Amino acid sequence: MTHDTATVIATYSRRMRLRLLSGNEVDARIKGKRIKPVCGDQVVTEPIPNESDWLITAVAERENELTRPNMRGQVEVLAANLDYLIVVAAAEPKADWFIVDRYLCAAELMGIAAAIVFNKIDLDTDASSTAEELANYVRIGYDVVQCSAKEGRGTTDIGVLLKDRCAIIVGQSGVGKSSIINQLVGDATQRTSAVSGKTGEGRHTTVNSVMIPLPGGGSVIDSPGVRDYAPALESSTVAAKGFREITAAAQNCKFANCRHLREPGCAVKAGVEDDKISARRYESYKRIVNLTEQLSDGRYT
Ligand code: GDP
Ligand code: ZN
């Protein structure tokens, strides 16, 4: 029996599309109930005699995982082995920066770089507050691109950031993720329709993801499972590590276990008062702390 390693490039519930080392793509199913491969996984696979399907027998150890709590409070893995996250916000629907921060928090905890892409600049009606938010993300070290997928402006800058990376693209529904991907792949195909198509399975049980190779090198994973997102954190104390400017300031807090909420001598709160830390980002941090505490309450009752 020949074994092969392969990359999971699309998931349809318990069925997968694999790219073998040879470059060939095959359909596969999973051996047993115990293993749960996701897009981006490296897997061990073998052909099934007299069938076109291959069988996935094992999943290699992951470098990282993008996770979220599902409705029962369990951790669900959305994609694995990423090295970049692109969070898209737009002029329409109105940018929700708290959602952007929840994704950035996840990227930070995964140890991967991230970009904020602001799309639909052909429409922007709230330009000054958008510029202020984007300038703050640049200040704390994130890549920021403004674009119009509709007009094809700015999208080549995204392609440059994605070169040689395996990225995931996330953001609220309607911000233009599919349009951006279509710009990036050019005329190649409209592969993104594979993701938005209905599967006939329960909307909350199935996450279909697809990894799209880009002509300029690199690839991007599109997953509807990330459209409404909160990170799965072990505990609320982890949240501060998801905010790089809070982590940096926290070194000067009076107490090593400072949570930056009501403690005296808190360098984070001082930073917010001095405008060195964005009050809005600090609010995002507090919301993630609250959210994590609510989830963990729910999990143990
Ligand atoms: P997704 O849900 O994030 O994948 O968003 P889509 O790519 O499906 O886009 C949602 C809607 O926004 C569609 O009607 C697009 O035509 C439109 N759209 C996407 N990019 C732009 C843009 O740059 N400017 C404008 N005005 N509309 C856009
Ligand atoms: Zn503090």
Side-chain angles (χ1 to χ4, degrees), residues 4-280:
D4 209 341
T5 24
T7 307
V8 177
I9 57 168
T11 61
Y12 310 92
S13 187
R14 294 285 289 173
R15 284 180 64 79
M16 320 248 126
R17 184 100 180 140
L18 304 181
R19 190 173 54 237
L20 304 172
L21 279 180
S22 63
N24 290 345
E25 293 183 10
V26 295
D27 291 315
R29 52 179 196 260
I30 304 159
K31 185 177 184 181
K33 295 253 180 238
R34 214 171 33 79
I35 54 175
K36 292 193 170 68
V38 297
C39 215
D41 263 328
Q42 298 294 314
V43 295
V44 179
T45 185
E46 61 193 34
I48 303 172
N50 308 317
E51 280 193 45
S52 61
D53 265 10
W54 285 51
L55 191 68
I56 299 171
T57 56
V59 180
E61 197 183 330
R62 292 168 179 157
E63 259 169 59
N64 57 42
E65 304 175 322
L66 181 65
T67 59
R68 68 164 180 192
N70 69 16
M71 300 216 288
R72 278 155 295 167
Q74 296 155 333
V75 173
E76 182 183 357
V77 182
L78 297 166
N81 303 322
L82 305 169
D83 51 21
Y84 203 61
L85 179 140
I86 291 193
V87 51
V88 183
E92 177 63 50
K94 195 174 179 326
D96 183 335
W97 302 108
F98 294 108
I99 294 184
V100 170
D101 287 338
R102 296 213 288 264
Y103 291 117
L104 293 179
C105 177
E108 205 69 19
L109 294 170
M110 290 169 76
I112 63 172
I116 298 94
V117 167
F118 189 81
N119 187 35
K120 310 198 190 183
I121 50 172
D122 56 292
L123 296 179
D124 197 8
T125 47
D126 195 11
S128 71
S129 81
T130 298
E132 193 184 321
E133 293 292 350
L134 296 179
N136 185 57
Y137 288 118
V138 171
R139 185 165 63 133
I140 59 179
Y142 286 106
D143 297 321
V144 171
V145 175
Q146 300 193 58
C147 69
S148 166
K150 186 182 173 190
E151 297 177 348
R153 261 199 293 158
T155 46
T156 48
D157 295 344
I158 305 171
V160 170
L161 290 172
L162 289 178
K163 195 176 178 311
D164 302 329
R165 280 170 154 159
C166 178
I168 188 159
I169 187 164
V170 299
Q172 285 169 277
S173 200
V175 291
K177 295 179 295 297
S178 307
S179 307
I180 290 169
I181 293 170
N182 287 337
Q183 283 286 328
L184 292 172
V185 298
D187 296 333
T189 37
Q190 295 268 321
R191 298 185 61 157
T192 50
S193 57
V195 170
S196 20
K198 295 223 162 48
T199 62
E201 312 236 1
R203 276 172 56 210
H204 298 293
T205 54
T206 312
V207 177
N208 286 0
S209 301
V210 60
M211 185 190 288
I212 301 142
L214 301 175
S219 55
V220 62
I221 293 175
D222 188 14
S223 165
V226 296
R227 277 163 199 190
D228 174 26
Y229 182 77
L233 306 184
E234 284 154 48
S235 73
S236 60
T237 50
V238 177
K241 295 201 175 65
F243 290 77
R244 48 177 70 173
E245 72 277 46
I246 291 179
T247 301
Q251 296 182 321
N252 298 317
C253 290
K254 183 172 173 192
F255 300 110
N257 62 353
C258 186
R259 298 177 65 214
H260 328 302
L261 299 174
R262 283 168 292 274
E263 295 85 349
C266 174
V268 172
K269 278 194 296 177
V272 174
E273 273 150 36
D274 296 347
D275 265 346
K276 293 204 175 77
I277 292 174
S278 146
R280 217 219 21 83

